[in-house]
Amino acid sequence: MFEALLGATGEKTKSKAIDQAVNHYCLCAGENAAHPNGTYEKLMERAIEQGSVTPEEIAEVLGTEELPVDYERKWQVGCR
């Protein structure tokens, strides 16, 4: 899991990777001193207000500078 975390965060040390993962988790979960309102809550509020959210909007809400979330839709048309 540590190797996967190093790869996901782009960090070279386990401690920095863990710091990023913990900060990202606290940001998403919310209800803590550092992040009273989490991104999961923001995402659900947006879905209620708009009726639905697009994959692009989900990526926008959940992504951070340290752990970006991107959505790119690739279309493939054709027969084999």
Side-chain angles (χ1 to χ4, degrees), residues 17-42:
I18 291 169
D19 283 346
Q20 275 198 22
V22 168
N23 185 55
H24 187 77
Y25 174 82
C26 288
L27 174 65
C28 289
E31 295 187 20
N32 58 72
H35 306 285
N37 299 314
T39 53
Y40 295 149
E41 180 181 349
K42 290 177 187 173

Side-chain angles (χ1 to χ4, degrees), residues 11-78:
E11 292 293 345
K12 294 182 179 12
T13 65
K14 291 176 186 174
S15 63
K16 287 182 180 179
I18 291 169
D19 283 346
Q20 275 198 22
V22 168
N23 185 55
H24 187 77
Y25 174 82
C26 288
L27 174 65
C28 289
E31 295 187 20
N32 58 72
H35 306 285
N37 299 314
T39 53
Y40 295 149
E41 180 181 349
K42 290 177 187 173
L43 183 59
M44 288 184 259
E45 286 174 359
R46 185 181 286 194
I48 290 168
E49 289 171 6
Q50 296 178 186
S52 66
V53 289
T54 66
E56 292 89 351
E57 290 172 317
I58 293 169
E60 174 191 326
V61 171
L62 296 181
T64 64
E65 187 175 320
E66 296 82 15
L67 294 170
V69 176
D70 295 316
Y71 173 78
E72 184 178 313
R73 187 171 190 164
K74 295 181 182 179
W75 289 95
Q76 220 174 18
V77 178

Side-chain angles (χ1 to χ4, degrees), residues 1-11 14 17 21 67:
M1 291 302 295
F2 283 126
E3 293 303 317
L5 185 61
L6 289 170
T9 60
E11 292 293 345
K14 291 176 186 174
L67 294 170

